[in-house]
Amino acid sequence: MSLRLRSYYYAVLGALGALIGWRITDTFGFVGGQSVYLSDVLLGAVIGLCLGVLIGASEGLLTRSWYKALRAGALAGGIGMIAGAIGLPLGEFIFQATGGELIGRALGWGVFALLIGLSEGITGGTQMWKGAVGGLIGGVVGGVILFLLQSIFGITVLGKMLGLAILGAAVGVFIALMVVLLSRAWLEVKSGKLKGTEFILDKFMPVHGPAAIIGSNDFKADIAIPDPDMAPQHARLKGAGTHFVLEDMSVGKGTFVNGRRVEMARLTNNATIRVGNTELVYHEKR
């Protein structure tokens, strides 16, 4: 998936998550009649839940895996709810401590979004710190815009809607940007139903990290590709710190690297992999 299209998906889902969260709290009156910090706990939890669910599910949606979208969305939603319940009151405290100025609001939303960004590292193929950096930058940028919009429109429904939509979109965009721009290794699908899709491999690269299974079964493979000629668990990618080793697991179907059938092979940049009728290209940055 191209950087532009990935960023678009993340932006739209981030904006929707923030708006849905705000609408839920507004409809059910979660934020009225109590202290500002208790209101922020409730508001932050709901917005964090909605942002986490949609941003977390985005990778599954991009790869057309409903199972992974639901699983990642549920996990990221739970993390987002906790992050929002902690981050938004903390952000309000920073805002109040700095005298209610722009920098305080930006830092406050930055802390909130940093915690949301951690969920991307847990549920996606990147490392946690990259999602956190993207969330922090997106939260600061979105927080500045939110503050300015509320200064222009006042604390009105329009101001809240525009501000939160832009905030959610900024968080989504910068998480996507950091995840892709800082990636060290990824697989690009060159043929089949998922042509153009990219699977980020960073969290699988450490020597003692988990292996990534390539296969056709959503429940058994980390990189699931809809290909009837591919085994449910077709090949295994094991990180070696600076590169990956690919191991065939297909039991007779075969795994090919640069046109040669292999049992095990060290991957180099731009290596072509064929599993079933699907062709993949391995990319790595030094």
Side-chain angles (χ1 to χ4, degrees), residues 28 38 40 44 50 56 69 81 108-109 136 144 157 166 187 189 202 256 258:
F28 291 96
L38 179 57
D40 282 340
C50 295
M81 183 171 64
W109 280 110
L136 174 63
V144 169
V157 171
I166 292 171
L187 285 177
V189 183
D202 287 22
F256 300 81
N258 294 329

Side-chain angles (χ1 to χ4, degrees), residues 114-177:
L114 180 151
L115 296 173
I116 297 293
L118 287 173
S119 65
E120 169 61 22
I122 294 172
T123 60
T126 190
Q127 293 158 311
M128 289 176 62
W129 69 268
K130 294 174 184 176
V133 168
L136 174 63
I137 297 171
V140 169
V141 171
V144 169
I145 296 172
L146 175 60
F147 183 91
L148 294 175
L149 284 174
Q150 291 187 342
S151 298
I152 295 170
F153 294 105
I155 310 299
T156 62
V157 171
L158 178 61
K160 288 179 180 178
M161 286 181 62
L162 285 175
L164 285 172
I166 292 171
L167 174 71
V171 172
V173 163
F174 280 98
I175 288 176
L177 286 173

Side-chain angles (χ1 to χ4, degrees), residues 44-225:
V46 175
I47 291 179
L49 170 66
C50 295
L51 270 175
V53 166
L54 291 181
I55 290 178
S58 56
E59 284 299 315
L61 295 175
L62 286 170
T63 58
R64 304 181 194 177
S65 170
W66 290 106
Y67 167 69
K68 283 187 170 56
L70 290 171
R71 185 183 66 179
L75 178 58
I79 296 168
M81 183 171 64
I82 296 169
I86 295 170
L88 198 55
L90 182 59
E92 183 64 32
F93 174 79
I94 295 171
F95 179 62
Q96 299 292 344
T98 56
E101 297 298 330
L102 172 61
I103 188 170
R105 182 60 77 200
L107 288 174
W109 280 110
V111 170
F112 167 79
L114 180 151
L115 296 173
I116 297 293
L118 287 173
S119 65
E120 169 61 22
I122 294 172
T123 60
T126 190
Q127 293 158 311
M128 289 176 62
W129 69 268
K130 294 174 184 176
V133 168
L136 174 63
I137 297 171
V140 169
V141 171
V144 169
I145 296 172
L146 175 60
F147 183 91
L148 294 175
L149 284 174
Q150 291 187 342
S151 298
I152 295 170
F153 294 105
I155 310 299
T156 62
V157 171
L158 178 61
K160 288 179 180 178
M161 286 181 62
L162 285 175
L164 285 172
I166 292 171
L167 174 71
V171 172
V173 163
F174 280 98
I175 288 176
L177 286 173
M178 291 300 105
V179 165
V180 172
L181 294 178
L182 298 179
S183 293
R184 294 180 60 195
W186 64 97
L187 285 177
E188 179 187 0
V189 183
K190 298 295 287 185
S191 65
K193 293 181 180 179
L194 298 185
K195 183 178 180 180
T197 300
E198 294 174 350
F199 294 91
I200 303 208
L201 303 172
D202 287 22
K203 79 174 182 182
F204 302 106
M205 185 172 274
V207 175
H208 300 295
I213 304 299
I214 303 171
S216 60
N217 190 305
D218 264 355
F219 298 93
K220 297 180 179 180
D222 301 286
I223 298 170
I225 299 172

Side-chain angles (χ1 to χ4, degrees), residues 19-32 39 42-47 164:
L19 284 175
I20 292 169
W22 168 77
R23 189 60 186 163
I24 290 172
T25 57
D26 185 65
T27 299
F28 291 96
F30 290 168
V31 294
S39 294
L42 295 172
L43 179 62
V46 175
I47 291 179
L164 285 172

